[in-house]
């Protein structure tokens, strides 16, 4: 994976990163963070740093027995998840992790995507990237756990993730590798997104032979405390936390307007309405979707006078509200 040495938080090359659309490691960009410095001194200091900012609000976290080996995933027949989702105070999670720091096979504790300002007010004063100066509104989230494996998945937004405590190993694949990564169920999912069912630690190439082709495209990096990684929208990423205690802070943002909805419900709707049609009809609908959706945005309405384009014109807040109302009305029939 490409690495930018000595990247500066005050001169983030965000435009270049977004234009390139490739993963990049930003070496040392968060090295001066208070939490990073505390963690470099000791795990105890890192935990004390977080406790000192803890607002005491209930947080959601994943808990799994030692036998899941740090991999929140599924049971054998993919009908249930292999861990529990619990609620408690962050201090309780830190106590649980601390009690098993020297255990070679600890139970899994994992706080995922916790909004920093809600749980750790004041954290960003000494731990943060100045994304707002680039016109990006991206409230930071924090991820806290022990040796946890986040199975390979994609996120719709762009993602800038900073390794604050411990080390993390990232393996990334471009979006076109979806078929070689063997995605699992759409529901339920371990973390809200569909994940690859391949065990990256022990891949079974007889069951998942196309995974070899995916590996040929993989980009990998191991982040040290203070390093960050830029992951473009829709890139698949497998993340492995390598130390007994690990903390990551990330920023998600979309370049599209807020009134554009997530495409995921459209995928669910298409599975319901299109996937099982006869092949001839599916091909016809593929042509229609290419014309209206996946081709040039202006093509479907370019032969019409502007007042007559209606929903074929550029989506704005007004058209977005009308489309939403229309869909709700039709789905409720």
């Amino acid at each position: 994976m490409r690495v930018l040495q000595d990247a500066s938080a005050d001169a983030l090359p965000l435009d270049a990163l977004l234009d390139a659309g490739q993963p990049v490691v930003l070496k040392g960009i968060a090295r001066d963070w208070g939490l990073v410095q505390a963690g470099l001194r000791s795990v105890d200091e890192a935990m004390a740093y977080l406790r000192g900012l803890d607002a005491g609000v209930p947080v959601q976290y994943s808990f799994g027995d030692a036998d899941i080996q740090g991999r929140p995933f599924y049971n054998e027949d993919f009908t249930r998840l292999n861990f529990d989702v619990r609620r408690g105070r962050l201090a309780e999670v830190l106590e649980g992790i601390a009690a098993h720091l020297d255990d070679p096979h600890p139970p899994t504790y994992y706080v995922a995507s916790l909004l920093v300002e809600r749980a750790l007010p004041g954290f960003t004063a000494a731990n943060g990237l100045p994304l707002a100066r680039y016109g990006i509104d991206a409230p930071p989230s924090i991820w806290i756990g022990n040796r946890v494996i986040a199975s390979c998945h994609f996120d719709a937004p762009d993602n800038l993730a900073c390794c604050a405590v411990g080390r993390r190993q990232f393996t990334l694949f471009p979006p076109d590798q979806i078929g070689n990564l063997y995605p699992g169920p759409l529901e339920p999912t371990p973390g809200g997104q569909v994940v690859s069912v391949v065990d990256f630690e022990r891949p079974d190439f007889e069951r998942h032979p196309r995974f070899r082709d995916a590996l040929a495209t993989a980009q990998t990096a191991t982040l040290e405390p203070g390093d960050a990684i830029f992951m473009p929208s829709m890139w698949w990423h497998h993340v492995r936390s390598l130390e007994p205690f690990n903390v990551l802070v990330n920023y998600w943002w979309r370049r599209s307007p807020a009134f554009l909805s997530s495409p995921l419900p459209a995928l669910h709707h298409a599975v319901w309405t299109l996937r099982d049609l006869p092949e001839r009809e599916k091909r016809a609908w593929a042509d229609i979707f290419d014309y209206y959706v996946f081709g040039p945005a202006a093509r479907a309405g370019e032969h019409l006078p502007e007042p007559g384009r209606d929903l074929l014109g550029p989506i704005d807040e007004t058209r977005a509200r009308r489309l939403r109302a229309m869909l709700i009305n039709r789905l409720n029939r």
Side-chain angles (χ1 to χ4, degrees):
M1 191 178 299
R2 182 183 168 210
V3 177
L4 291 181
Q5 297 289 344
D6 298 316
S8 170
D10 293 323
L12 286 169
L14 284 181
D15 288 341
L17 296 180
L18 293 169
D19 289 344
Q22 290 286 321
V24 179
V25 173
L26 305 172
K27 196 71 179 170
I29 199 166
R31 67 165 63 93
D32 295 329
W33 285 13
L35 178 58
V36 172
Q37 291 300 310
L40 289 173
R41 290 190 291 271
S42 72
V43 168
D44 288 343
E45 285 205 35
M47 288 190 173
Y49 191 97
L50 293 172
R51 290 191 188 99
L53 296 168
D54 183 10
V57 299
V59 302
Q60 183 172 291
Y61 66 97
S62 301
F63 175 84
D65 294 330
D67 58 5
I68 77 169
Q69 301 179 52
R71 187 188 183 207
F73 195 62
Y74 295 93
N75 62 358
E76 287 296 323
D77 62 3
F78 292 88
T79 57
R80 291 188 300 108
L81 301 174
N82 67 355
F83 60 94
D84 298 324
V85 177
R86 300 181 175 182
R87 290 184 68 80
R89 293 182 300 109
L90 181 58
E92 296 170 357
V93 177
L94 295 174
E95 288 169 9
I97 295 173
H100 296 278
L101 286 174
D102 298 322
D103 190 336
H105 303 290
T108 295
Y109 289 88
Y110 192 37
V111 176
S113 189
L114 176 65
L115 283 174
V116 165
E117 285 305 313
R118 173 180 173 270
L120 300 166
F123 179 89
T124 55
N127 307 270
L129 298 178
L131 299 187
R133 72 174 58 167
Y134 303 95
I136 293 174
D137 180 18
S141 297
I142 196 165
W143 309 66
I144 301 169
N146 46 11
R147 288 191 177 96
V148 179
I149 296 170
S151 295
C152 194
H153 63 285
F154 70 89
D155 296 312
D158 293 303
N159 190 355
L160 188 59
C162 304
C163 185
V165 180
R167 297 177 302 131
R168 265 180 164 81
Q169 183 183 70
F170 288 78
T171 306
L172 272 67
F173 305 86
D176 63 7
Q177 291 303 303
I178 179 172
N180 296 330
L181 291 169
Y182 297 89
L186 290 173
E187 289 287 344
T189 63
Q193 292 283 20
V194 63
V195 303
S196 167
V197 302
V198 178
D199 184 347
F200 278 42
E201 311 303 311
R202 295 169 291 275
D204 184 340
F205 291 110
E206 290 189 5
R207 293 182 64 186
H208 309 126
R210 296 191 306 275
F211 184 57
R212 292 188 189 275
D213 296 325
L215 287 175
T217 73
Q219 297 189 35
T220 62
T222 298
L223 269 59
E224 303 288 336
D227 295 344
I229 183 171
F230 171 70
M231 294 180 283
S233 168
M234 305 301 291
W235 276 65
W236 291 77
H237 47 284
H238 179 272
V239 188
R240 184 168 173 253
S241 303
L242 301 177
E243 307 296 341
F245 180 59
N246 304 270
V247 183
L248 179 134
V249 176
N250 88 300
Y251 304 82
W252 278 311
W253 72 97
R254 296 177 65 192
R255 283 171 279 172
S256 55
F259 55 75
L260 290 185
S261 182
S262 165
L264 194 56
L267 173 64
H268 292 158
H269 198 179
V271 169
W272 172 31
T273 59
L274 297 173
R275 186 196 58 192
D276 295 334
L277 291 177
E279 283 302 315
R280 180 182 58 79
E281 294 182 35
K282 285 173 66 173
R283 289 195 300 272
W285 278 109
D287 291 336
I288 290 172
F289 269 70
D290 184 63
Y291 180 77
Y292 283 104
V293 178
F294 297 111
R299 178 174 63 184
E302 63 186 0
H303 59 285
L304 299 172
E306 188 169 342
R309 292 174 187 173
D310 193 28
L311 296 179
L312 298 178
I315 300 299
D316 54 19
E317 291 194 40
T318 300
R319 289 190 175 102
R321 287 196 296 269
R322 287 183 57 204
L323 282 166
R324 183 175 184 273
M326 183 178 70
L327 288 170
I328 290 172
N329 182 55
R330 290 188 176 181
L331 288 171
N332 284 336
R333 287 179 181 174

